[in-house]
Amino acid sequence: MEKLDESKFEQRLQLLALRIPRELASAVTRLLRSGCLLDMPRVKPVVEDPESDKSRLVVLSEKIQNPDLSDIPEQARNLLKQLCSVDVVPYTLTLGYSYWSAGHVAHLNIPDDLLIYKDVIAKVIYDKNYPRIQTVANKVGAISNEFRVPKFEILAGKNDMVTEVKQYGATFKLDYGLVYWNSRLEHEHIRLVSLFKKGDVICDMFSGIGPFSVPAGQKGCIVYANDLNPDSVRYLKINAKINKVEDYIFTHNMDARVFMQTLMIVPDPEAKSQFAAANCSSEETVSANENSMPNGNHNDVQEICQESLDDSSVVNTAKRRQETSNEGDVACQEEDVNQTKKRNNKKVKSSGPLPVKPWEHIDHVVMNLPASALQFLDCFSGLVQKRYWKGSLPWIHCYCFIRSSESEELILCEAQNKLNAKIAEPIFHRVRDVAPNKAMYCLSFMLPMECLKDETEDNVQSVDG
């Protein structure tokens, strides 16, 4: 049998990179994270500089081709110049043979005009890659079921779609035939989780197998995770145990609107113990980290999100950091990765009372269902009871698709109509292009005060009744 020439699978990308002081890596990545950084699965945008251990290379997107950085928005470019002196250097990224596969399953999406050759294609892939690749499957048709799970046809090898993938120090077990998974969202998972703080309370309305919930648990967050697909919830529980964060994750299997309504029910004093038991699955308990303050650090979260609106704060903060530290920080994502890997080897220590009062405070709500998440925003109108709420209002992170014929203003208008309230200072983050004329975005905003249910509303309803 002819030996596979793995070099044939290599792809070299000629890119540009910024050579910067390593203590400023975190600030620079925050300045450039909206479309200017390299965004590829399993490839870090910040790497070591082979010429000096005192600097780092920040790899730019393939779209940035001019050495004068004129492809970068003017505001970000000016802030970057204020931050530090930047050297623009060429950077070659080589994607080797191992980059193009994940686990033992090879997923294909064969075009219609090549379907007549599908068995031949599968046999070649299987024969040349066995035993590393043991299953070759082709996606069949469009995703149309309620759980958004694609259908696959096994073309070669064993009928086994269960595998494991790794993302930034977390391990995820899944069955591609039963649940949804997209490795291309790896950078988005870590970007959003980097906004969470230890002790924050997170609601994951469409959690899947846990790409947001598990790393949030690894940071010491309390997570209420829900998915309509029972298989996704089953694997979420498995992944919570694999990554030793099962004490930090409540799991639910219900409609997302019912899930949020259930969390916001204020029980009678004598019913609180029953509510706590109902919130947690029979195999799970949740404990707060001994240093956690579930309701005490919401201003920090607001400041982080506000940095996306006022990047000048990044410059000022970074300059102060450079003056006071010789070592400094590495990129925020790189730091999260290292901390996550350390936590992965040791179960998160926990103690204290059960944090089972989401009707009093939540820090972030994740709505990762871009095809229809906007339609679920109506559940927030009158959801939170003002008299019981403590601290700042939660940040909502709603994923959506925007076509070339649509605009951010149109999406914002739709979101406000669903909320029946005006959104102040919305933040749009472009996640990735999913088609030539279609992109995935994350719309982040603080829940408007108008969405809270006032005590007077109950009085009016009781009088009318």
Side-chain angles (χ1 to χ4, degrees), residues 274-337:
Q274 288 88 339
F275 179 84
N279 258 345
C280 191
S281 63
S282 59
E283 298 104 5
E284 296 173 329
T285 56
V286 177
S287 299
N289 190 283
E290 62 187 65
N291 294 320
S292 296
M293 294 182 291
N295 297 322
N297 54 9
H298 315 116
N299 291 332
D300 293 339
V301 179
Q302 184 176 357
E303 289 172 3
I304 290 176
C305 294
Q306 182 64 28
E307 286 177 354
S308 298
L309 296 171
D310 184 10
D311 283 330
S312 60
S313 63
V314 176
V315 176
N316 297 330
T317 302
K319 285 184 175 180
R320 289 195 299 270
R321 183 184 298 124
Q322 187 177 22
E323 292 171 357
T324 57
S325 173
N326 293 325
E327 295 297 325
D329 297 334
V330 203
C332 56
Q333 293 182 355
E334 189 174 348
E335 182 179 352
D336 277 345
V337 175

